[in-house]
Amino acid sequence: MKSMSIRKIKNLIRSNFILIVIFLIIIITGIIESNYLSFNNLLNVLRQVSVIGIVACGMTYCLIGGAYDLSVGSIVSLTGVITILTINAGVSEFIAILYGLLAGLGIGITNGILISSINGRSGEAFIITYGMQVVAASIALFPSNGLFIAGRVPEGFFKFLGQGVMPIVIFLSIAIILQFILSNTQYGRQMCFIGSNMDVARLSGVRVKLNRVTYFAISGLLSAIAGIVLCSRVTSSNPTAGTGFEMDAIAAVVVGGTSMSGGSGNVIRTVVGAVAIGIMSNALNILGITAYHQQILKGLLIIAAVAMDILNKTIKNREMEHEKAYTG
Amino acid sequence: MEKYILEMKGITKTFPGVVALDDVSLKVKSGTVHALVGENGAGKSTLMKILTGVYEATSGEIYLDGRKLDLYGVKDAQEKGISIIFQEFNLINTLTVAENIFLGRYNDSQYINWKQIRTKAHELLERLGFNFDVDRIVGTLSTAEKQLVEIAKALSYNAKIIVMDEPTSSLTKKEIEMLFPIIENLRSNNIAVIYISHKLEEVFQICDVVSILRDGKIVGESDINNITRNEIIEKMVGRSLDIEYPKRNSVLGETVLEVKNLSRNTKIKDISFALRRGEVLGIAGLVGAGRTELAETIFGVHPADGGEIFIKGEKTAIRSTREAKEHSIGFVTEDRRGTGIVIDMNIPKNITITKLNAVKNRWLLDKRKEEAVASEYVDKLDIRTPSVNQILNNLSGGNQQKVVLSKWLFSDADILILDEPTRGIDVGAKYEIYCLINTLVEQGKAIIMISSELPEVLGMSDRILVMHNGTIKGELTGEDMTAENVMQIAVD
Amino acid sequence: MKKLTLDKGDFRIFWIKNAVPILLIIFAISMVFVNRTFSSWDNISNIINEFAIYGITACAMTTAIICGEFDLSCASVFGWSTVLFCLTCTAFGVLPAFLITMLSGVVLGAFNGFLVAKVRMPAFIATLGTMTAIKGLAYVVTDAQPIKTENETLYAISKFNIGGITIVPLVFIVVVVIFIWFLKFTKFGRGIYATGGNYEVARLSGINVKFYKFIVFVLLGACAALSGIMYGSRIMAGWAPYGSDLALYCVTVTVIGGTSLMGGNGGVHRTIIGILFMGVIFNALTLLSVGGSMQKFVRGIVLISVIMFDAITSKRHKA
């Protein structure tokens, strides 16, 4: 029995290895720089993390459903451009937000329809959404020819979205709602089935195609929300603002511990992943490590997290085989 | 003193906690066809995996031509003269016939002489009596042709022993008739063939010697002329035959499913039949006759493009699996692990997926309800598991199949289509599945049972439809339901 | 050839199989009439010089796709190589720079190969990670600024040409010939096909599948570095973002050529058609003065359509 609990602790450490390492970095920085762990600084980090975090929540759904969505970064940029342009044209800010959301939703639905119409596996989804990334990014470049657009944003609801703790509130409520849906509803359960084994889901009478479209739609919509929050915070839009967000989002998801092979995952853990990465990169900033160095780290972080995931699975399978052999 | 090409002496193989093979000895002579029979799980495949170097024996020795052999994998065994032809062929579908035969070897040099390879491949196929375009892509070949390529590949290694694992399981009658002369040919070339099969008729037709495995032990070996079919079966199952198919007393009720002139492109043509409550309708036919395709059409996996389906008297168009489910149809597929269950989810999740609505409190899934449902079926179907929340990977094949049945029972399916329901399940569990089928029809369910095991269809069905080439070629009832009659219709 | 008459189905297969070359010819001919510049030698040599650079990596990408793999990071390796080449060129001269850059390409490719073959990581996510890391590396080294080299030997090499054709197309042709030859006529090449066609079967046939999964990434790393060197030597400069659309381009031309993403079939000779196709179309767009972001848009649309087409036809083929 004792060996069992030691094994459990080992498993726990192994499956959260990356998170533990990150928290060690944070603690060390906290010791070196005393005001690093201050409430204000953490709040600030959280605010910065929210935009990526919202995108990462949508990415979690896609990955649980068994596919990547690489178009998210471009959707963030495009939504910002559309919203700011609409506001600058003097249209009501609610309509501007609506346009932005519709654009993200539209691209997401297009992704979903394309992929589920060919019953695309993760490889095809990867490349199609990659193509969509290029398409959406280029559309975002059209209106301003790639230039930064300053927004003439009046005080009001739109501006409110990016102020103070609003981004954090939006981020966390989205995460909680998505996690709740995932673990407590029919829709969430079916998502796990589709991600684990699409054929079983189909042959159990689940509407696989329709469901898959919704994962990309949600991912697109959330990216649009992230784009709106982002440009509300900076009251301007940059047609390349979201470049590389897909990487950051995937990093948050894998560091959080959602498996790359689909079928299981947890949105709250993605939040933890996003926040951990955010605090880490803040810590690295404080330690004087540049953004470019951090990019290297981020790439390696994704690799390490996925490698750990694979390692854990191998170990778990081996243990399971042993147990099975013993019970006959 | 007789000379054996192959001697396996005292082979024992233990997996942690399990003895898969217990002191098995097998001797095979050159130029003979040696049958190896036994129920699933008897240890045939373990034994052959040891012979071909996939597994290492815990103890025991293998002698080839009098010399002791150490094997390090399939390739090594091949090079030493032992080839195995698996049911799922070891061929690469995107490459040509010639390349597949010489895969991984080509010529002695690093560079490839295509002309030489093609000529050699052609010669090998000619030795087997076939004139074959060696440039064809293997993916476009029929099963029988693929088998031929495998045999040619074995010959190219100068195989002394060729192991055939269920070689006829997916061949048509015509193709089987083509295969047997090839085996004769191998025999006359002094090659030993180890022939693993469930089909005893074939064993009697083609083999010289038969060895019977049960529970990891050899329980009998005999010249084929000195043993009868029933003796073999008795040794295989270790008990007499008459309890193999339990009796039932079900009452036929009203018609629940009627199919009229159903077609789907070239796969199934003009199918009409009716199914009543309390009935087990067997569908027999050779592999490729369109049985699974018919099931998939009725279940909406690939919707029909012609004909009508009536359910409980009402005309319905089934365009998707969801619609089929809503019309109370359930479908137990032949590929359990691939399309029946999610192997790393637990029992409740696997069962409730067909009717999540029923385990909800208004909007949300209720895990306690799910567990209650699962325990209900675990009790009812006697699913043997340490706990209700067990992951399916930890269950045996028979118990996994019961989970698949549970999920359709839970969805209130009245019409159950069972495609090869006892495939890959051991004898004891098979019997349980049969009893379960009987209980279900006694409760008024209607069952369509597709099976390649003829005795099973004969033993379990009230009525048998025999399919051939996408059509229903005959219907057998009562006294007419004999193996001979079914085969008469099923073959051309 | 055995049949003299073609039925309807044969025609359809003929069209599907040869749609790309036919479209290419039709498009090229109509361009000749639409735009005079198109058929001028200046423009044609321009197309050739242009596509040869990316074409080198496309050959290696085709090989990887045949082996059932995929590499996003080649784009970053390209950018990094332009940087490294220019830096080392200034410091040590052309030949050492060439060798160092090629070596770095091989090492980076080997790292990808290690992750995929040994750690068994999905190539998509592994190369997504290395893509980010390598790009970061290139930024760090140059402080995100473009760097120049003024090596005179390099200048002479880059200006050398025969009738407008520079040295790059010659390198490209050599690379193509080597790839076509070894893919068809060596054990090594056939091992790549077998591994991509069916991993398990190839393994059981004694083919060292892990080696092939590994080596295709090394080839890709080397070719991406070579492409980077060609680009760097042409413009005498290096910058991290150079070649950021390389992976997209390579996958597009490979699949347009008719090498399926499923693995195990196709070939570099087909990719040539894809390269020509993309070369002509984008040259035409430039001549018709279509802007950069619009061209980018077209690239994305072409990629998506090609993947959809591939998926639909290969799945129908299966069924």
PDB file of all heavy atoms in Angstrom, chain B residues 95-120:
ATOM      1  N   LEU B  95       3.047   0.500 -52.746  1.00  0.00           N
ATOM      2  CA  LEU B  95       4.157   0.065 -53.601  1.00  0.00           C
ATOM      3  C   LEU B  95       3.726  -1.075 -54.521  1.00  0.00           C
ATOM      4  O   LEU B  95       2.663  -1.659 -54.355  1.00  0.00           O
ATOM      5  CB  LEU B  95       5.332  -0.367 -52.728  1.00  0.00           C
ATOM      6  CG  LEU B  95       5.842   0.692 -51.739  1.00  0.00           C
ATOM      7  CD1 LEU B  95       6.981   0.142 -50.914  1.00  0.00           C
ATOM      8  CD2 LEU B  95       6.261   1.960 -52.452  1.00  0.00           C
ATOM      9  N   THR B  96       4.588  -1.384 -55.493  1.00  0.00           N
ATOM     10  CA  THR B  96       4.212  -2.398 -56.478  1.00  0.00           C
ATOM     11  C   THR B  96       4.420  -3.807 -55.922  1.00  0.00           C
ATOM     12  O   THR B  96       5.046  -4.012 -54.893  1.00  0.00           O
ATOM     13  CB  THR B  96       5.067  -2.276 -57.752  1.00  0.00           C
ATOM     14  OG1 THR B  96       6.425  -2.580 -57.415  1.00  0.00           O
ATOM     15  CG2 THR B  96       4.988  -0.891 -58.354  1.00  0.00           C
ATOM     16  N   VAL B  97       3.881  -4.765 -56.681  1.00  0.00           N
ATOM     17  CA  VAL B  97       4.003  -6.172 -56.314  1.00  0.00           C
ATOM     18  C   VAL B  97       5.472  -6.562 -56.210  1.00  0.00           C
ATOM     19  O   VAL B  97       5.917  -7.124 -55.212  1.00  0.00           O
ATOM     20  CB  VAL B  97       3.310  -7.045 -57.382  1.00  0.00           C
ATOM     21  CG1 VAL B  97       3.622  -8.524 -57.157  1.00  0.00           C
ATOM     22  CG2 VAL B  97       1.811  -6.800 -57.358  1.00  0.00           C
ATOM     23  N   ALA B  98       6.243  -6.231 -57.240  1.00  0.00           N
ATOM     24  CA  ALA B  98       7.647  -6.628 -57.265  1.00  0.00           C
ATOM     25  C   ALA B  98       8.387  -6.063 -56.060  1.00  0.00           C
ATOM     26  O   ALA B  98       9.137  -6.767 -55.393  1.00  0.00           O
ATOM     27  CB  ALA B  98       8.289  -6.144 -58.558  1.00  0.00           C
ATOM     28  N   GLU B  99       8.140  -4.795 -55.781  1.00  0.00           N
ATOM     29  CA  GLU B  99       8.869  -4.180 -54.680  1.00  0.00           C
ATOM     30  C   GLU B  99       8.483  -4.794 -53.348  1.00  0.00           C
ATOM     31  O   GLU B  99       9.326  -4.988 -52.473  1.00  0.00           O
ATOM     32  CB  GLU B  99       8.619  -2.672 -54.672  1.00  0.00           C
ATOM     33  CG  GLU B  99       9.441  -1.986 -53.603  1.00  0.00           C
ATOM     34  CD  GLU B  99       9.576  -0.502 -53.812  1.00  0.00           C
ATOM     35  OE1 GLU B  99       8.885   0.048 -54.681  1.00  0.00           O
ATOM     36  OE2 GLU B  99      10.396   0.099 -53.109  1.00  0.00           O
ATOM     37  N   ASN B 100       7.201  -5.128 -53.200  1.00  0.00           N
ATOM     38  CA  ASN B 100       6.773  -5.736 -51.955  1.00  0.00           C
ATOM     39  C   ASN B 100       7.433  -7.088 -51.731  1.00  0.00           C
ATOM     40  O   ASN B 100       7.777  -7.441 -50.603  1.00  0.00           O
ATOM     41  CB  ASN B 100       5.249  -5.888 -51.936  1.00  0.00           C
ATOM     42  CG  ASN B 100       4.592  -4.736 -51.220  1.00  0.00           C
ATOM     43  OD1 ASN B 100       4.736  -4.590 -50.019  1.00  0.00           O
ATOM     44  ND2 ASN B 100       3.902  -3.895 -51.968  1.00  0.00           N
ATOM     45  N   ILE B 101       7.589  -7.849 -52.810  1.00  0.00           N
ATOM     46  CA  ILE B 101       8.205  -9.173 -52.659  1.00  0.00           C
ATOM     47  C   ILE B 101       9.643  -9.026 -52.153  1.00  0.00           C
ATOM     48  O   ILE B 101      10.091  -9.774 -51.302  1.00  0.00           O
ATOM     49  CB  ILE B 101       8.151  -9.948 -53.998  1.00  0.00           C
ATOM     50  CG1 ILE B 101       6.701 -10.300 -54.316  1.00  0.00           C
ATOM     51  CG2 ILE B 101       9.015 -11.206 -53.932  1.00  0.00           C
ATOM     52  CD1 ILE B 101       6.507 -10.996 -55.630  1.00  0.00           C
ATOM     53  N   PHE B 102      10.330  -8.046 -52.665  1.00  0.00           N
ATOM     54  CA  PHE B 102      11.736  -7.891 -52.278  1.00  0.00           C
ATOM     55  C   PHE B 102      11.958  -6.751 -51.295  1.00  0.00           C
ATOM     56  O   PHE B 102      13.051  -6.214 -51.201  1.00  0.00           O
ATOM     57  CB  PHE B 102      12.598  -7.702 -53.533  1.00  0.00           C
ATOM     58  CG  PHE B 102      12.647  -8.950 -54.362  1.00  0.00           C
ATOM     59  CD1 PHE B 102      11.835  -9.102 -55.470  1.00  0.00           C
ATOM     60  CD2 PHE B 102      13.475  -9.993 -53.986  1.00  0.00           C
ATOM     61  CE1 PHE B 102      11.863 -10.267 -56.204  1.00  0.00           C
ATOM     62  CE2 PHE B 102      13.506 -11.164 -54.726  1.00  0.00           C
ATOM     63  CZ  PHE B 102      12.696 -11.303 -55.835  1.00  0.00           C
ATOM     64  N   LEU B 103      10.895  -6.403 -50.579  1.00  0.00           N
ATOM     65  CA  LEU B 103      10.967  -5.270 -49.671  1.00  0.00           C
ATOM     66  C   LEU B 103      12.118  -5.395 -48.672  1.00  0.00           C
ATOM     67  O   LEU B 103      12.278  -6.412 -48.016  1.00  0.00           O
ATOM     68  CB  LEU B 103       9.660  -5.159 -48.896  1.00  0.00           C
ATOM     69  CG  LEU B 103       9.468  -3.857 -48.144  1.00  0.00           C
ATOM     70  CD1 LEU B 103       9.276  -2.721 -49.112  1.00  0.00           C
ATOM     71  CD2 LEU B 103       8.272  -3.972 -47.225  1.00  0.00           C
ATOM     72  N   GLY B 104      12.898  -4.340 -48.599  1.00  0.00           N
ATOM     73  CA  GLY B 104      13.978  -4.324 -47.621  1.00  0.00           C
ATOM     74  C   GLY B 104      15.191  -5.127 -48.048  1.00  0.00           C
ATOM     75  O   GLY B 104      16.163  -5.200 -47.326  1.00  0.00           O
ATOM     76  N   ARG B 105      15.129  -5.775 -49.225  1.00  0.00           N
ATOM     77  CA  ARG B 105      16.298  -6.555 -49.647  1.00  0.00           C
ATOM     78  C   ARG B 105      16.798  -6.088 -51.010  1.00  0.00           C
ATOM     79  O   ARG B 105      17.967  -5.861 -51.219  1.00  0.00           O
ATOM     80  CB  ARG B 105      15.952  -8.031 -49.725  1.00  0.00           C
ATOM     81  CG  ARG B 105      15.585  -8.597 -48.383  1.00  0.00           C
ATOM     82  CD  ARG B 105      15.103 -10.002 -48.540  1.00  0.00           C
ATOM     83  NE  ARG B 105      13.848 -10.030 -49.271  1.00  0.00           N
ATOM     84  CZ  ARG B 105      13.409 -11.100 -49.912  1.00  0.00           C
ATOM     85  NH1 ARG B 105      14.126 -12.203 -49.981  1.00  0.00           N
ATOM     86  NH2 ARG B 105      12.242 -11.067 -50.507  1.00  0.00           N
ATOM     87  N   TYR B 106      15.842  -5.998 -51.962  1.00  0.00           N
ATOM     88  CA  TYR B 106      16.187  -5.577 -53.319  1.00  0.00           C
ATOM     89  C   TYR B 106      17.354  -6.410 -53.851  1.00  0.00           C
ATOM     90  O   TYR B 106      17.223  -7.615 -54.012  1.00  0.00           O
ATOM     91  CB  TYR B 106      16.469  -4.071 -53.352  1.00  0.00           C
ATOM     92  CG  TYR B 106      15.337  -3.274 -52.730  1.00  0.00           C
ATOM     93  CD1 TYR B 106      15.413  -2.746 -51.450  1.00  0.00           C
ATOM     94  CD2 TYR B 106      14.141  -3.089 -53.435  1.00  0.00           C
ATOM     95  CE1 TYR B 106      14.353  -2.051 -50.887  1.00  0.00           C
ATOM     96  CE2 TYR B 106      13.083  -2.397 -52.878  1.00  0.00           C
ATOM     97  CZ  TYR B 106      13.196  -1.883 -51.607  1.00  0.00           C
ATOM     98  OH  TYR B 106      12.152  -1.205 -51.060  1.00  0.00           O
ATOM     99  N   ASN B 107      18.497  -5.784 -54.053  1.00  0.00           N
ATOM    100  CA  ASN B 107      19.639  -6.546 -54.554  1.00  0.00           C
ATOM    101  C   ASN B 107      20.684  -6.585 -53.458  1.00  0.00           C
ATOM    102  O   ASN B 107      20.449  -6.138 -52.353  1.00  0.00           O
ATOM    103  CB  ASN B 107      20.230  -5.867 -55.791  1.00  0.00           C
ATOM    104  CG  ASN B 107      19.151  -5.398 -56.719  1.00  0.00           C
ATOM    105  OD1 ASN B 107      18.510  -4.385 -56.463  1.00  0.00           O
ATOM    106  ND2 ASN B 107      18.929  -6.127 -57.764  1.00  0.00           N
ATOM    107  N   ASP B 108      21.821  -7.111 -53.776  1.00  0.00           N
ATOM    108  CA  ASP B 108      22.864  -7.159 -52.769  1.00  0.00           C
ATOM    109  C   ASP B 108      23.489  -5.785 -52.561  1.00  0.00           C
ATOM    110  O   ASP B 108      23.933  -5.449 -51.485  1.00  0.00           O
ATOM    111  CB  ASP B 108      23.946  -8.167 -53.171  1.00  0.00           C
ATOM    112  CG  ASP B 108      23.377  -9.575 -53.123  1.00  0.00           C
ATOM    113  OD1 ASP B 108      22.471  -9.796 -52.295  1.00  0.00           O
ATOM    114  OD2 ASP B 108      23.800 -10.423 -53.917  1.00  0.00           O
ATOM    115  N   SER B 109      23.489  -4.983 -53.622  1.00  0.00           N
ATOM    116  CA  SER B 109      24.145  -3.682 -53.497  1.00  0.00           C
ATOM    117  C   SER B 109      23.165  -2.653 -52.942  1.00  0.00           C
ATOM    118  O   SER B 109      21.988  -2.942 -52.732  1.00  0.00           O
ATOM    119  CB  SER B 109      24.665  -3.226 -54.847  1.00  0.00           C
ATOM    120  OG  SER B 109      23.626  -2.639 -55.576  1.00  0.00           O
ATOM    121  N   GLN B 110      23.643  -1.456 -52.716  1.00  0.00           N
ATOM    122  CA  GLN B 110      22.800  -0.373 -52.235  1.00  0.00           C
ATOM    123  C   GLN B 110      21.902   0.165 -53.359  1.00  0.00           C
ATOM    124  O   GLN B 110      20.951   0.861 -53.106  1.00  0.00           O
ATOM    125  CB  GLN B 110      23.674   0.777 -51.712  1.00  0.00           C
ATOM    126  CG  GLN B 110      24.315   0.489 -50.375  1.00  0.00           C
ATOM    127  CD  GLN B 110      23.293   0.273 -49.276  1.00  0.00           C
ATOM    128  OE1 GLN B 110      22.326   1.013 -49.136  1.00  0.00           O
ATOM    129  NE2 GLN B 110      23.481  -0.772 -48.489  1.00  0.00           N
ATOM    130  N   TYR B 111      22.269  -0.125 -54.589  1.00  0.00           N
ATOM    131  CA  TYR B 111      21.520   0.411 -55.724  1.00  0.00           C
ATOM    132  C   TYR B 111      20.547  -0.635 -56.227  1.00  0.00           C
ATOM    133  O   TYR B 111      20.767  -1.834 -56.095  1.00  0.00           O
ATOM    134  CB  TYR B 111      22.490   0.837 -56.830  1.00  0.00           C
ATOM    135  CG  TYR B 111      23.556   1.725 -56.273  1.00  0.00           C
ATOM    136  CD1 TYR B 111      24.859   1.279 -56.147  1.00  0.00           C
ATOM    137  CD2 TYR B 111      23.228   2.990 -55.780  1.00  0.00           C
ATOM    138  CE1 TYR B 111      25.825   2.083 -55.568  1.00  0.00           C
ATOM    139  CE2 TYR B 111      24.182   3.788 -55.200  1.00  0.00           C
ATOM    140  CZ  TYR B 111      25.489   3.337 -55.088  1.00  0.00           C
ATOM    141  OH  TYR B 111      26.422   4.133 -54.505  1.00  0.00           O
ATOM    142  N   ILE B 112      19.498  -0.146 -56.810  1.00  0.00           N
ATOM    143  CA  ILE B 112      18.425  -1.059 -57.161  1.00  0.00           C
ATOM    144  C   ILE B 112      18.387  -1.310 -58.651  1.00  0.00           C
ATOM    145  O   ILE B 112      18.354  -0.382 -59.455  1.00  0.00           O
ATOM    146  CB  ILE B 112      17.089  -0.498 -56.655  1.00  0.00           C
ATOM    147  CG1 ILE B 112      17.126  -0.490 -55.137  1.00  0.00           C
ATOM    148  CG2 ILE B 112      15.932  -1.334 -57.144  1.00  0.00           C
ATOM    149  CD1 ILE B 112      15.972   0.184 -54.507  1.00  0.00           C
ATOM    150  N   ASN B 113      18.409  -2.578 -58.978  1.00  0.00           N
ATOM    151  CA  ASN B 113      18.273  -2.974 -60.362  1.00  0.00           C
ATOM    152  C   ASN B 113      16.825  -3.414 -60.577  1.00  0.00           C
ATOM    153  O   ASN B 113      16.461  -4.551 -60.299  1.00  0.00           O
ATOM    154  CB  ASN B 113      19.246  -4.115 -60.642  1.00  0.00           C
ATOM    155  CG  ASN B 113      19.201  -4.546 -62.091  1.00  0.00           C
ATOM    156  OD1 ASN B 113      18.241  -4.249 -62.811  1.00  0.00           O
ATOM    157  ND2 ASN B 113      20.238  -5.237 -62.515  1.00  0.00           N
ATOM    158  N   TRP B 114      16.026  -2.466 -61.028  1.00  0.00           N
ATOM    159  CA  TRP B 114      14.590  -2.749 -61.120  1.00  0.00           C
ATOM    160  C   TRP B 114      14.292  -3.884 -62.070  1.00  0.00           C
ATOM    161  O   TRP B 114      13.384  -4.673 -61.849  1.00  0.00           O
ATOM    162  CB  TRP B 114      13.817  -1.503 -61.527  1.00  0.00           C
ATOM    163  CG  TRP B 114      13.687  -0.539 -60.409  1.00  0.00           C
ATOM    164  CD1 TRP B 114      14.334   0.645 -60.264  1.00  0.00           C
ATOM    165  CD2 TRP B 114      12.875  -0.683 -59.236  1.00  0.00           C
ATOM    166  NE1 TRP B 114      13.983   1.244 -59.077  1.00  0.00           N
ATOM    167  CE2 TRP B 114      13.094   0.455 -58.431  1.00  0.00           C
ATOM    168  CE3 TRP B 114      11.994  -1.669 -58.794  1.00  0.00           C
ATOM    169  CZ2 TRP B 114      12.459   0.619 -57.212  1.00  0.00           C
ATOM    170  CZ3 TRP B 114      11.359  -1.496 -57.585  1.00  0.00           C
ATOM    171  CH2 TRP B 114      11.597  -0.357 -56.802  1.00  0.00           C
ATOM    172  N   LYS B 115      15.045  -3.962 -63.154  1.00  0.00           N
ATOM    173  CA  LYS B 115      14.776  -4.982 -64.156  1.00  0.00           C
ATOM    174  C   LYS B 115      14.929  -6.368 -63.539  1.00  0.00           C
ATOM    175  O   LYS B 115      14.071  -7.234 -63.695  1.00  0.00           O
ATOM    176  CB  LYS B 115      15.750  -4.803 -65.329  1.00  0.00           C
ATOM    177  CG  LYS B 115      15.207  -5.343 -66.630  1.00  0.00           C
ATOM    178  CD  LYS B 115      16.128  -5.043 -67.788  1.00  0.00           C
ATOM    179  CE  LYS B 115      15.931  -6.093 -68.849  1.00  0.00           C
ATOM    180  NZ  LYS B 115      17.092  -6.188 -69.740  1.00  0.00           N
ATOM    181  N   GLN B 116      16.018  -6.503 -62.802  1.00  0.00           N
ATOM    182  CA  GLN B 116      16.290  -7.794 -62.180  1.00  0.00           C
ATOM    183  C   GLN B 116      15.195  -8.150 -61.173  1.00  0.00           C
ATOM    184  O   GLN B 116      14.712  -9.285 -61.132  1.00  0.00           O
ATOM    185  CB  GLN B 116      17.645  -7.693 -61.483  1.00  0.00           C
ATOM    186  CG  GLN B 116      18.214  -9.010 -61.034  1.00  0.00           C
ATOM    187  CD  GLN B 116      19.434  -8.768 -60.158  1.00  0.00           C
ATOM    188  OE1 GLN B 116      20.020  -7.679 -60.179  1.00  0.00           O
ATOM    189  NE2 GLN B 116      19.815  -9.752 -59.393  1.00  0.00           N
ATOM    190  N   ILE B 117      14.803  -7.168 -60.368  1.00  0.00           N
ATOM    191  CA  ILE B 117      13.766  -7.410 -59.369  1.00  0.00           C
ATOM    192  C   ILE B 117      12.459  -7.826 -60.014  1.00  0.00           C
ATOM    193  O   ILE B 117      11.805  -8.780 -59.591  1.00  0.00           O
ATOM    194  CB  ILE B 117      13.573  -6.141 -58.516  1.00  0.00           C
ATOM    195  CG1 ILE B 117      14.726  -6.032 -57.535  1.00  0.00           C
ATOM    196  CG2 ILE B 117      12.252  -6.168 -57.776  1.00  0.00           C
ATOM    197  CD1 ILE B 117      14.736  -4.746 -56.767  1.00  0.00           C
ATOM    198  N   ARG B 118      12.110  -7.140 -61.081  1.00  0.00           N
ATOM    199  CA  ARG B 118      10.842  -7.441 -61.741  1.00  0.00           C
ATOM    200  C   ARG B 118      10.885  -8.834 -62.355  1.00  0.00           C
ATOM    201  O   ARG B 118       9.911  -9.588 -62.272  1.00  0.00           O
ATOM    202  CB  ARG B 118      10.514  -6.373 -62.774  1.00  0.00           C
ATOM    203  CG  ARG B 118      10.209  -5.025 -62.105  1.00  0.00           C
ATOM    204  CD  ARG B 118       9.967  -3.903 -63.089  1.00  0.00           C
ATOM    205  NE  ARG B 118       8.906  -4.207 -64.003  1.00  0.00           N
ATOM    206  CZ  ARG B 118       9.056  -4.276 -65.321  1.00  0.00           C
ATOM    207  NH1 ARG B 118      10.239  -4.055 -65.848  1.00  0.00           N
ATOM    208  NH2 ARG B 118       8.040  -4.558 -66.076  1.00  0.00           N
ATOM    209  N   THR B 119      12.023  -9.182 -62.973  1.00  0.00           N
ATOM    210  CA  THR B 119      12.129 -10.511 -63.567  1.00  0.00           C
ATOM    211  C   THR B 119      12.024 -11.584 -62.485  1.00  0.00           C
ATOM    212  O   THR B 119      11.289 -12.562 -62.631  1.00  0.00           O
ATOM    213  CB  THR B 119      13.487 -10.665 -64.284  1.00  0.00           C
ATOM    214  OG1 THR B 119      13.793  -9.436 -64.903  1.00  0.00           O
ATOM    215  CG2 THR B 119      13.451 -11.784 -65.285  1.00  0.00           C
ATOM    216  N   LYS B 120      12.741 -11.339 -61.386  1.00  0.00           N
ATOM    217  CA  LYS B 120      12.723 -12.344 -60.327  1.00  0.00           C
ATOM    218  C   LYS B 120      11.321 -12.494 -59.735  1.00  0.00           C
ATOM    219  O   LYS B 120      10.871 -13.601 -59.464  1.00  0.00           O
ATOM    220  CB  LYS B 120      13.731 -11.968 -59.222  1.00  0.00           C
ATOM    221  CG  LYS B 120      15.156 -12.349 -59.576  1.00  0.00           C
ATOM    222  CD  LYS B 120      15.999 -12.571 -58.310  1.00  0.00           C
ATOM    223  CE  LYS B 120      16.515 -11.296 -57.737  1.00  0.00           C
ATOM    224  NZ  LYS B 120      17.469 -11.429 -56.650  1.00  0.00           N
TER     225      LYS B 120
END
